[in-house]
Amino acid sequence: MIFPAIDIMDGGCVRLLKGNFSDRINYDVSPVKMAKRFSAAGAEWIHIVDLDGAKDGKQAQSSLIIEIAQSCGINIQTGGGIRDLNHVKKLIDNGVKRVVIGSLAVTNPDKVKLWIKELPNDSICIALDVNINKRGIPYPAIRGWTEPNEKSLWNILNNYNDSGLETILVTDINRDGAELGSNLSLYENIQDKYPNLNLITSGGVGSIKHVESLKLLDPYGIIIGKALYENRFTLEQAINC
């Protein structure tokens, strides 16, 4: 399944390169219009990131995200700066289908596991945005990719065994926005180790061949962002390839 992405900053659509807030491209289209375009093109889901929230830990774009969820007739998953259960419930109660938890899933997994148990099935996805070290071990970064942490991806995912977690989103930070292809070996490794988790891939897609290569792995979802905004191919092509 293809998840077209909308990254929101200052109320507009943007893309970052490798998570760098200073390396930002602004697009002259509103997030609501972009969501409606994606819906009309056949998308079943849209992935929305509140980059202001990811950077500052505040609920900066919640009203806009709720407007999209209620007006565009499409399933929405969203994340960025989500730190408390009331925020999660507000989004779910107002039409968002799945909430993506990033930094908190790493720094306070016990809290997130409680949320998973309290909310309806698959309302929570954890997002793990990784840097690969010299030994090939993925380590998630936190707080909008600005801070490293000491736990590996495998440590973190093992801690969610038997939690009820169904869906994970994994990004190779060094591939994000670069359009040079996804980290296929990373995703194969995740699927081998955790076959019962729904894996959403993110980062690196720049051509239809990249989409085809990911589809051969048969992940639950493939997030595509910059390539769609830069017209490398159409969403319809990505869905149908």
Side-chain angles (χ1 to χ4, degrees):
M1 190 186 314
I2 302 298
F3 286 67
I6 298 176
D7 288 358
I8 301 175
M9 203 167 191
D10 300 323
C13 292
V14 307
R15 297 301 297 172
L16 306 181
L17 178 62
K18 298 181 182 180
N20 187 345
F21 285 92
S22 64
D23 200 344
R24 162 180 162 181
I25 301 172
N26 299 311
Y27 293 98
D28 188 22
V29 59
S30 77
V32 173
K33 286 183 178 179
M34 202 71 224
K36 289 181 178 179
R37 288 182 192 175
F38 287 150
S39 180
E44 298 177 36
W45 284 82
I46 296 177
H47 175 73
I48 301 178
V49 180
D50 176 355
L51 286 175
D52 295 303
K55 183 179 181 182
D56 301 325
K58 299 177 181 178
Q59 303 173 26
Q61 306 294 341
S62 292
S63 296
L64 178 54
I65 291 166
I66 288 169
E67 179 185 351
I68 294 170
Q70 294 180 344
S71 66
C72 294
I74 194 168
N75 295 311
I76 301 296
Q77 72 172 26
T78 187
I82 297 171
R83 301 287 188 269
D84 65 79
L85 184 57
N86 286 336
H87 187 188
V88 175
K89 288 181 175 178
K90 177 183 177 181
L91 292 167
I92 296 294
D93 289 346
N94 284 280
V96 170
K97 295 297 184 183
R98 186 184 295 129
V99 174
V100 180
I101 307 298
S103 297
L104 200 67
V106 176
T107 61
N108 197 340
D110 290 340
K111 177 182 283 189
V112 175
K113 285 189 279 188
L114 288 174
W115 295 0
I116 292 168
K117 293 183 184 302
E118 181 167 342
L119 293 164
N121 290 345
D122 206 25
S123 294
I124 296 286
C125 167
I126 67 169
L128 302 166
D129 306 317
V130 302
N131 289 302
I132 313 296
N133 73 6
K134 293 179 180 179
R135 294 182 296 160
I137 300 172
Y139 280 84
I142 58 175
R143 295 184 176 87
W145 302 357
T146 61
E147 297 181 21
N149 87 95
E150 61 186 20
K151 297 177 182 177
S152 76
L153 175 66
W154 317 129
N155 295 145
I156 292 163
L157 289 178
N158 288 342
N159 194 25
Y160 280 91
N161 284 340
D162 302 320
S163 68
L165 177 68
E166 296 183 29
T167 302
I168 61 171
L169 190 168
V170 180
T171 304
D172 181 340
I173 292 172
N174 284 319
R175 304 289 182 113
D176 189 71
E179 300 182 83
L180 298 175
S182 299
N183 191 333
L184 300 178
S185 62
L186 171 66
Y187 296 134
E188 284 181 308
N189 206 356
I190 293 168
Q191 289 182 310
D192 287 343
K193 290 177 181 290
Y194 307 97
N196 295 322
L197 289 175
N198 297 324
L199 171 64
I200 301 175
T201 70
S202 175
V205 172
S207 70
I208 280 294
K209 287 186 177 180
H210 295 155
V211 180
E212 290 171 344
S213 295
L214 281 168
K215 284 191 172 183
L216 289 175
L217 298 180
D218 196 26
Y220 169 73
I222 300 168
I223 291 176
I224 306 176
K226 185 179 178 182
L228 295 175
Y229 290 81
E230 298 290 334
N231 299 311
R232 310 295 187 222
F233 50 83
T234 67
L235 178 57
E236 291 94 334
Q237 287 174 313
I239 291 170
N240 294 317
C241 74

